[in-house]
Amino acid sequence: MFVFRLVSFLLIAAFALVLGEQAMGISGMASTYPLTLVTVVLAGTLYMIATAVAQRREPTVLTGDVSHLVAATGPERLRLFAFVILWVAYPWLLGLLGFIVTTTLAIAVSLYMLGQKRILLALACAAAFSVVFAVLFMTVFYVPVPAGVLDDWLTSFIFRLQS
Amino acid sequence: MLEGFLNAITYQSVAAEIGGVIIGIIFGAIPGLTATLGIALFVPVTFLMSPEHGMIMLGGIYSGGIFGGSISAILINIPGTPASIVTSWEGHAMARAGKAPFALALAAVSSGIGGILAAIAVLFLTPILSSFALSFGSPEYCALLIFSFTIVIVMLETPLASNLFGCFVGLLIVTIGIDPVIGTPRFTFGVVELYSGFNLVAVLIGFFCMSQAVVLALNSLKPDKGGEIIFDGKRPYGELLRVVPTRIFTYLRSAVTGVFLGILPALGPVETPFISYALEKRFNKRNEKFGKGSISGLIASETSISANVGGSLIPLISLGIPGSGAAAVFIGALTLHGLQPGPMLFANQPTLIYSFFWGFLILNIFMLFFGVFAARYCAFVLKIPKFVLATFVAVFSILGTFAIQNNMFDVFVMLGATAFALWFQALRISLLPVVMAVILGPLFEQQIAVLNTSYSSVGEVLQRPVAVVFLAVSVLMLGFRLVRGTSRRGMPEQTEV
């Protein structure tokens, strides 16, 4: 935990330094506010690092939700990691496969990974959700979600129904 | 004011009130889902509505979400939101004694009465505070913002240094975007999407929704410790009519406590019931056994929580200062509709604000009746598996963020904010100072720029009495916290509701 805290604060310091370097390029009074903040954050980082070093031998007490996340082990941690990867990948996959296919797959895989053992049920629920929301996005919310082959077919089908 | 009332009783407003309350109760009743999460997820939906209907619906979700937490607290002894911890002590004891319907109905009535009293306070106090704030110049605004940051930094359970650090990191993050002084892009690294800074609602959805999806996912992998639902008991209406009129002072005491604490930033619905409960134990003369199904204890808890929700609207609307995570999301929703919370909002859009206030009052009346007659039927949501919740909170967080501006960049900002929220929690740095800084940072920088150009010396600023009072109180609070060392013992750790 000490190493994690140390690396984290060094990363924040690096971020502040990068912004500080850029703030130097801002002309006149406009640079005062960001430079002041950069200085305070750098000083704060040093203080936090010093505190972390001073407390490195003390047992770390985490409370709340993060304590559960940190305490996750073995298969739990692996499945949680897969859950995170899945939903980080989802926005990228949307552009490749379109809304209906990506959302159906993502929901089904997520449900299956976290506990729904009947994959066909998971797929059916996910597909129903995706189609309903695809229709809602097209006809009610007017949200242009990325379209794939199925989405295009659904759009033209709805268009034919309306005309 | 009358026009606002008429707006609040149109069928669209009533639909928003009813819909908001029901959605809120369902969200609040499910352990793991919070009122803040409910509000954040439904912000994009308000695009389909006028601003007043959108705000009324979000108000309903907030109030309903806070009350909904008491359903699981009473029936299964698991608080749906952290605000309902005290309710679970008394309410579940009543349920175990075979009075579950009475406990639920009493919680609903208390919540409703707390909300109604708070709405009345909001209706009359907010215009006064707003008109007072209209006379503020940049020194007063800067001092007020410093006061708001200070009160959050001082009141939180986490160490003072880490609260301060979080606040400054938040202020630094929101410098990314267009410089308000010379109007050129700053810290954008050539990314065009960053010219307008980070989308506030996307950041808040990351902080409060997607991070919760990750936690829910983990909880779904653990064996379910959900308790047995205790549902038995006779119809509560007779006992309710007998008990409620005899507890007027408890209601008034708890409502005043709730509103007062709601006005102060950082003392949200999580801390309020503990303080109200302690006050009730001190002043109650009925010789009730607190912790074993005390009627006054349950009333004190539920009334103060609802009153706190209303109280937090006063600084939110009149000064643009959020007192809690949920209030912060409200500010995000208002800005998305092109409205800037603060005294000018009241001056420019009085009808909209009064519509919202009247709507808030009416939705609390609706919540009272819904709670008494139908809350027990919401218990079905306690059966929804956590893996379903985790999956759908994740998908709605992403789709909701995309829908704000039809922009995939916002989704990546939201995912980044999620990682940031979990990272800072692991570093034991509270998110509330960061959230406050992210919301108020741009205004703070703007006011400092005005102050710089309008005043040549500190002496001139110190001639403004209101600014001096805010600054003096801030210094005193910081000093007091430094002298006292660590914080309020016996209070719960700051958590979102």
Side-chain angles (χ1 to χ4, degrees), chain B residues 46 130 158 207 210 229 343 424 433:
Chain B
T46 64
S130 281
T158 37
F207 279 179
M210 196 64 187
I229 300 179
F424 262 47

Side-chain angles (χ1 to χ4, degrees), chain A residues 53-96:
Chain A
V53 171
Q55 295 174 343
R56 69 187 183 281
R57 299 204 189 285
E58 292 176 21
T60 306
V61 182
L62 280 174
T63 52
D65 295 335
V66 168
S67 62
H68 303 302
L69 292 178
V70 174
T73 50
E76 250 179 31
R77 185 179 283 182
L78 198 67
R79 283 158 82 181
L80 187 69
F81 188 65
F83 176 82
V84 172
I85 295 291
L86 172 73
W87 291 109
V88 170
Y90 173 70
W92 270 289
L93 291 175
L94 268 178
L96 291 175

Side-chain angles (χ1 to χ4, degrees), chain A residues 5 8 63 66 68 110 141, chain B residues 48 218 391 423 425 428 493:
Chain A
R5 295 185 75 193
S8 297
T63 52
V66 168
H68 303 302
S110 176
F141 299 118
Chain B
L48 297 171
L218 179 67
T391 298
W423 182 35
Q425 281 181 49
R428 285 179 285 172
E493 192 171 324

Side-chain angles (χ1 to χ4, degrees), chain B residues 158-177:
Chain B
T158 37
L160 185 68
S162 63
N163 296 344
L164 258 172
F165 183 68
C167 184
F168 280 107
V169 169
L171 286 174
L172 187 60
I173 288 171
V174 286
T175 55
I176 293 171

Side-chain angles (χ1 to χ4, degrees), chain B residues 109-125 248-256 259 303 306-308 310-311 314 360-361 364-365:
Chain B
V109 170
S110 306
S111 216
I113 290 177
I116 291 164
L117 292 174
I120 294 167
V122 169
L123 268 167
F124 291 100
L125 285 181
I248 289 171
F249 287 108
T250 303
Y251 280 113
L252 286 175
R253 202 162 31 230
S254 313
V256 170
V259 170
T303 308
S306 263
N308 183 283
I314 296 172
F360 186 73
L361 195 151
N364 272 289
I365 297 172

Side-chain angles (χ1 to χ4, degrees), chain A residues 1 5 8 19 22 29-30 33 45 47 63 65-66 68-69 76 80 87 110 114 116 129 133 141 144, chain B residues 48 161-162 165 179 187 189 214-215 218 221-222 387 391-392 396 398 406 423 425-426 428 445 452 493:
Chain A
M1 200 62 198
R5 295 185 75 193
S8 297
L19 295 196
Q22 291 210 0
M29 287 293 288
Y33 181 77
T45 313
Y47 176 82
T63 52
D65 295 335
V66 168
H68 303 302
L69 292 178
E76 250 179 31
L80 187 69
W87 291 109
S110 176
L114 296 181
Q116 175 55 266
F129 173 90
F133 266 80
F141 299 118
Chain B
L48 297 171
S162 63
F165 183 68
D179 184 323
F187 309 144
F189 304 96
V214 177
V215 173
L218 179 67
L221 296 170
K222 294 177 182 302
F387 65 83
T391 298
F392 284 96
F396 281 122
I398 291 173
N406 301 331
W423 182 35
Q425 281 181 49
R428 285 179 285 172
E445 186 180 5
N452 250 334
E493 192 171 324

